[in-house]
């Protein structure tokens, strides 16, 4: 009996979602009755999670084996393995799909004259049929633990079958976020966060400082680099910050390159939930609108930068900035 089978009417849709966490070569895959969870991490300081829920597939079946467990045994109803994420993405675009970057009709992003790249045409545009073009049906199956992950792609009468080698799962712990001890919780349009991160890149920064306060400046992203310093400030206007919960001032610094790894998700998402706990762990949860009114979530978590002994942490304030 096949352990897992799923059919999607759009391989491109799967490609766009998994592309968001493509910052490492391998991904840990967890099969559940609710969907497929892909987790990518690097050096235990960044994690990206894409959960493809059952509703994203036209058909979905997961039949875990009990392995003769008794009622007293803890039943593990998941299967976990690793695959090459790079190879999976290449497979999903085997029919020559390329991301449509030539969007028309630029729109004002709403602050400082900066125009967001995905703001042109809106984030949901990436999943519209006219952008995706001809659909490629994707069939996925996994016979048993240790077997290859089989992917069958069909488009315009052409069928391609790929068997991907699976690897033994590694011990992988989720970067903990203390949900009962949040220092900040902000919901905003994802394109504005994308624009801000892109704007700060002009200084070639190594670190990104995020400061939030119950009084002005309410939310500020700043960076320092060999080419200077820069900052982007957001006002508390509800049109900018849909949700703003910051009990007291909090400042944390992260490696800029790690946060930038979430740029693809920032670019195609509609909204982002920014959360940070009292230990400085940062969570970015992106809401991505897919076809037919469905939504999917991409999660990133980051460990804060901790300066080594004798190393001064960058000042979180800057002399120049852009205001929102």
């Amino acid at each position: 009996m096949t352990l897992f089978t799923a059919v999607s009417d759009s391989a491109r849709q799967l490609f766009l979602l998994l592309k968001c966490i493509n910052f490492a070569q391998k991904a840990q895959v967890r099969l559940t009755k609710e969907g497929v969870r892909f987790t990518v991490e690097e050096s235990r300081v960044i994690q990206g999670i894409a959960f493809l829920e059952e509703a994203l597939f036209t058909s979905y079946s997961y039949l875990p084996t009990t392995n003769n467990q008794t009622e007293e045994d803890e039943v593990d109803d998941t299967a976990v393995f690793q695959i090459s994420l790079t190879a999976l993405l290449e497979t999903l675009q085997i029919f020559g799909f390329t991301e449509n970057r030539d969007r028309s009709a630029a729109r004002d992003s709403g602050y400082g004259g900066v125009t967001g790249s995905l703001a042109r045409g809106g984030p949901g545009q990436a999943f519209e049929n006219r952008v995706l073009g001809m659909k490629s049906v994707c069939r996925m199956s996994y016979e048993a633990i240790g077997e290859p992950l089989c992917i069958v792609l069909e488009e315009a009468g052409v069928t391609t079958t790929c068997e991907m080698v699976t690897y033994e799962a590694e011990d992988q712990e989720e970067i903990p976020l203390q949900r009962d001890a949040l220092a900040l919780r902000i919901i905003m349009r994802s394109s504005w966060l994308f624009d801000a991160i892109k704007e700060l890149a002009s200084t070639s920064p190594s670190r990104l400082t995020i400061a939030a306060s119950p009084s002005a400046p309410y939310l500020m992203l700043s960076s320092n680099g060999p080419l200077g310093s820069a900052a982007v400030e957001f006002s508390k206007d509800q049109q900018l910050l849909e949700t703003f919960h910051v009990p007291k001032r909090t400042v944390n610094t992260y490696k800029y390159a790690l946060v930038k790894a979430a740029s693809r998700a920032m670019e195609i998402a509609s909204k982002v939930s920014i959360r940070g706990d009292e230990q400085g762990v940062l969570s970015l949860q992106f809401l991505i609108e897919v076809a037919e009114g469905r939504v999917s979530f991409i999660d990133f978590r980051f460990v804060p930068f901790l300066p080594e002994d004798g190393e001064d942490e960058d000042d979180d304030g800057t002399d120049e900035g852009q205001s929102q």
Side-chain angles (χ1 to χ4, degrees):
M1 182 180 295
T2 302
L3 182 64
F4 161 76
T5 59
V7 179
S8 170
D9 61 5
S10 176
R12 294 169 173 83
Q13 187 179 97
L14 303 181
F15 171 84
L16 289 171
L17 291 172
L18 294 177
K19 182 76 171 178
C20 292
I21 58 171
N22 185 33
F23 59 86
Q25 289 189 346
K26 285 187 178 181
Q28 189 129 307
V29 183
R30 181 178 295 272
L31 305 175
T32 71
K33 293 180 179 179
E34 292 76 29
V36 186
R37 176 187 171 108
F38 293 83
T39 302
V40 178
E41 72 169 29
E42 185 175 302
S43 304
R44 306 286 184 181
V45 294
I46 175 176
Q47 280 184 345
I49 301 171
F51 182 67
L52 308 182
E53 64 177 351
E54 180 184 359
L56 289 177
F57 299 91
T58 54
S59 69
Y60 186 94
S61 173
Y62 176 63
L63 303 172
T65 57
T66 58
N67 294 326
N68 299 322
Q69 291 172 317
T70 66
E71 294 182 357
E72 297 179 354
D73 293 332
E74 183 179 352
V75 177
D76 184 6
D77 60 352
T78 65
V80 187
F81 55 88
Q82 284 197 344
I83 60 170
S84 168
L85 180 59
T86 303
L88 176 59
L89 290 173
E90 290 177 353
T91 299
L92 292 175
Q93 61 171 344
I94 201 167
F95 284 113
F97 165 63
T98 57
E99 298 171 76
N100 189 324
R101 298 184 181 277
D102 190 18
R103 310 269 173 85
S104 59
R107 66 149 175 83
D108 184 9
S109 67
Y111 75 88
V114 179
T115 301
S117 63
L118 223 269
R120 304 189 274 275
Q125 296 275 330
F127 292 90
E128 288 188 0
N129 288 336
R130 66 181 182 84
V131 175
L132 293 177
M134 186 179 296
K135 289 187 177 181
S136 299
V137 175
C138 176
R139 305 177 188 275
M140 307 171 67
S141 63
Y142 185 60
E143 290 290 337
I145 298 296
E147 295 295 321
L149 177 66
C150 183
I151 298 179
V152 179
L153 297 170
E154 300 177 8
E155 181 175 300
V158 179
T159 300
T160 300
T161 301
C162 302
E163 289 192 348
M164 301 189 59
V165 175
T166 58
Y167 306 91
E168 184 177 351
E170 296 180 355
D171 291 334
Q172 193 176 78
E173 295 184 3
E174 191 173 274
I175 295 177
L177 178 71
Q178 296 178 316
R179 292 181 175 84
D180 57 347
L182 292 179
L184 68 91
R185 181 168 59 87
I186 298 171
I187 297 177
M188 62 188 294
R189 290 179 63 174
S190 182
S191 60
W192 286 331
L193 178 61
F194 174 77
D195 290 344
I197 295 297
K198 186 177 180 180
E199 190 73 12
L200 296 177
S202 61
T203 64
S204 297
S206 60
R207 301 173 196 171
L208 170 71
T209 297
I210 300 177
S213 172
S215 58
Y218 297 99
L219 175 63
M220 182 172 70
L221 279 64
S222 60
S223 64
N224 288 289
L227 301 181
S229 61
V232 177
E233 295 181 12
F234 294 84
S235 70
K236 199 180 177 182
D237 191 325
Q238 193 170 9
Q239 292 185 345
L240 291 176
L241 306 181
E242 180 179 316
T243 298
F244 185 85
H245 178 74
V246 181
K248 61 181 181 180
R249 178 172 168 79
T250 177
V251 180
N252 286 288
T253 300
Y254 307 89
K255 290 189 176 181
Y256 178 85
L258 297 182
V259 178
K260 189 180 178 182
S263 292
R264 181 55 184 155
M266 295 180 199
E267 193 178 15
I268 69 173
S270 299
K271 296 182 181 181
V272 57
S273 172
I274 306 172
R275 295 176 295 172
D277 64 18
E278 295 178 352
Q279 301 299 317
V281 173
L282 175 66
S283 167
L284 299 179
Q285 184 180 66
F286 298 95
L287 182 151
I288 299 176
E289 298 176 1
V290 295
E292 300 176 359
R294 297 193 297 264
V295 298
S296 188
F297 293 93
I298 304 292
D299 295 298
F300 281 86
R301 290 189 184 178
F302 308 88
V303 173
F305 175 81
L306 299 176
E308 298 178 357
D309 293 340
E311 182 180 4
D312 292 331
E313 187 172 354
D314 288 345
D315 185 6
D316 64 286
T318 56
D319 296 332
E320 298 180 356
Q322 295 195 8
S323 297
Q324 229 184 29

